[in-house]
Amino acid sequence: MPDANRQIVLDQLPQGRLLAEHFRLTESEPPRPGAGEALLRTRYISLDAANRAWMQGATYRSALNAGQVMAGGALAEVVEADSPDLKPGDLVFADTGWQDYAVLPAKRLSKLPNLQPATHLLSVYGVAGLTAYFGLLECGRPKAGETVVVSAAAGSVGSLVGQIAKIKGCRAVGIAGGEEKGRWLTGELGFDQAIDYKAGDFKKQIRELGGIDVYFDNVGGDVFEACLFAMNTFGRIACCGAVSQYDGTAPQHGPRGVPGLIVTKRLTLQGFIMSDFAEKNDQALADLQSWVASGQLKVQEDVIDGFENLPQALVGLLAGENRGKRMVKVS
Ligand code: NAP
């Protein structure tokens, strides 16, 4: 049995930008599993923009409060389980929070396939891959030849969305911060064009695209507004997230003149959570695996070593430090 459990607690709820100082490292007795429960050891903790949104209030999960162990998903290893379906050494994806060990009801866990590298279970075969796949294909419904624009394009979801758009024969345009990310998108990942939303003329560049058929929105705010007004008739917008609104207080910017525009252009905006399409997960994973195997889909992971680096890793993600899926290796 382990003798200590490191935990990172959300010490204070941020009022403005999130800082590493809002967290505190502590240690407790390792939890002990009871009937029907599993003891898990976290291996890699997923860093997600939504981690910050959970501090703003209830979303698709309850709000985070000061004093709680920071919430988060992780790739975790079963240490022991009171379940016929799980054995020590099995890998699961679980809401462990930021700690070395967690106890969860075994019936909420499913054993993940044994594949290499295991980190792909958190990136392309995890939440990011399924979000990109379902958001684009089910909500965006792209057709060959159409223009697909995705924001936070160099992030974990966005980098996959643009590549899947290319696989489907579309023109892929990525919006990301900075020229270097743009060069990476068009060079390494095969996007047709990149737009730097931090450049003064980004709205002009979006207008000059010649019309957007599918916009995959990860950021909300000004970028959303600029893309909305550049939509083609019968365009589709997949509303995935709004990272520009997460790290601060109330939203300062928002789409203006929207309702009339949605009507005149007969746009479809569809919000979604990746689990809405869970019954199609097997097909999605089969497609993602075949695209990775054929080299059509490149997987970028940004792995940071060390449990104690979790707070700074999340602060850095919100500041745009990451390329692809960011995670912290714990054990
Ligand atoms: P990520 O894209 O890997 O990283 C976040 C990126 O957002 C940063 O790298 C940064 O890149 C960009 N960003 C930060 N502030 C921004 C701003 N003010 N304006 C524009 N871009 C900004 O993070 P992720 O966890 O994969 O999340 C991406 C989006 O997907 C989030 O909105 C998240 O909530 C959403 N999501 C939704 C679902 C679902 O089921 N609906 C599931 C998972 C994730 P730059 O350098 O480009 O600024």
Side-chain angles (χ1 to χ4, degrees):
M1 271 300 292
D3 53 5
N5 185 27
R6 290 175 301 168
Q7 298 178 308
I8 292 177
V9 169
L10 180 62
D11 202 27
Q12 304 160 46
L13 280 174
Q15 296 307 315
R17 281 191 172 276
L18 182 71
L19 302 170
E21 291 70 45
H22 290 119
F23 297 92
R24 123 178 98 78
L25 180 65
T26 175
E27 233 175 65
S28 70
E29 288 275 308
R32 289 182 183 281
E37 292 185 324
L39 174 65
L40 304 177
R41 175 172 197 183
T42 54
R43 298 272 313 278
Y44 292 87
I45 293 180
S46 173
L47 274 304
D48 298 279
N51 296 158
R52 175 68 181 88
W54 303 338
M55 298 172 195
Q56 292 179 322
T59 51
Y60 51 89
R61 61 174 294 149
S62 52
L64 278 175
N65 292 311
Q68 276 180 259
V69 171
M70 178 60 196
L75 185 63
E77 190 174 318
V78 174
V79 180
E80 58 176 284
D82 178 24
S83 161
D85 303 322
L86 295 170
K87 59 176 189 330
D90 284 349
L91 288 179
V92 294
F93 177 74
D95 192 359
T96 58
W98 289 9
Q99 54 187 342
D100 285 314
Y101 295 95
V103 165
L104 289 169
K107 65 173 188 290
R108 271 206 256 145
L109 305 169
S110 1
K111 181 186 164 175
L112 293 171
N114 192 359
L115 52 84
Q116 292 299 325
T119 51
H120 279 18
L121 294 166
L122 269 195
S123 59
V124 65
Y125 306 134
V127 171
L130 293 171
T131 301
Y133 183 95
F134 290 130
L136 181 64
L137 302 183
E138 297 284 334
C139 304
R141 302 185 302 282
K143 295 192 263 307
E146 287 190 328
T147 295
V148 173
V149 176
V150 56
S151 49
S156 69
V157 175
S159 60
L160 298 172
V161 169
Q163 294 185 80
I164 297 172
K166 288 300 296 174
I167 290 168
K168 295 291 173 184
C170 299
R171 170 192 181 206
V173 179
I175 302 177
E179 284 179 22
E180 201 188 320
K181 282 190 176 178
R183 275 196 295 275
W184 177 66
L185 291 174
T186 52
E188 188 108 350
L189 299 193
F191 282 54
D192 296 285
Q193 190 177 334
I195 294 177
D196 175 5
Y197 75 92
K198 292 180 176 167
D201 67 342
F202 88 90
K203 291 183 181 176
K204 181 167 170 283
Q205 290 189 57
I206 290 172
R207 281 197 301 276
E208 287 173 356
L209 286 174
I212 301 172
D213 299 297
V214 178
Y215 172 50
F216 192 109
D217 184 39
N218 280 319
V219 305
D222 284 342
V223 173
F224 176 86
E225 183 181 79
C227 289
L228 184 64
F229 282 84
M231 293 300 294
N232 284 332
T233 305
F234 297 113
R236 286 85 62 203
I237 300 182
C239 297
C240 178
V243 66
S244 74
Q245 313 291 305
Y246 296 168
D247 197 16
T249 45
Q252 302 300 313
H253 308 280
R256 288 152 284 203
V258 171
L261 184 89
I262 291 171
V263 175
T264 53
K265 289 204 172 177
R266 280 89 92 210
L267 303 179
T268 302
L269 279 77
Q270 184 175 347
F272 72 97
I273 298 290
M274 46 79 74
S275 51
D276 300 341
F277 304 99
E279 78 280 3
K280 297 184 180 175
N281 274 2
D282 288 350
Q283 182 60 50
L285 289 169
D287 284 347
L288 290 166
Q289 281 180 348
S290 80
W291 295 334
V292 171
S294 66
Q296 287 172 286
L297 191 58
K298 293 189 176 137
V299 183
Q300 178 76 21
E301 293 172 345
D302 171 15
V303 183
I304 294 174
D305 205 17
F307 182 79
E308 65 287 358
N309 294 318
L310 275 159
Q312 195 51 49
L314 179 58
V315 170
L317 175 114
L318 295 165
E321 270 176 14
N322 63 308
R323 263 193 206 174
K325 176 68 203 164
R326 177 164 276 199
M327 60 187 89
V328 165
K329 184 174 189 308
V330 174
S331 61

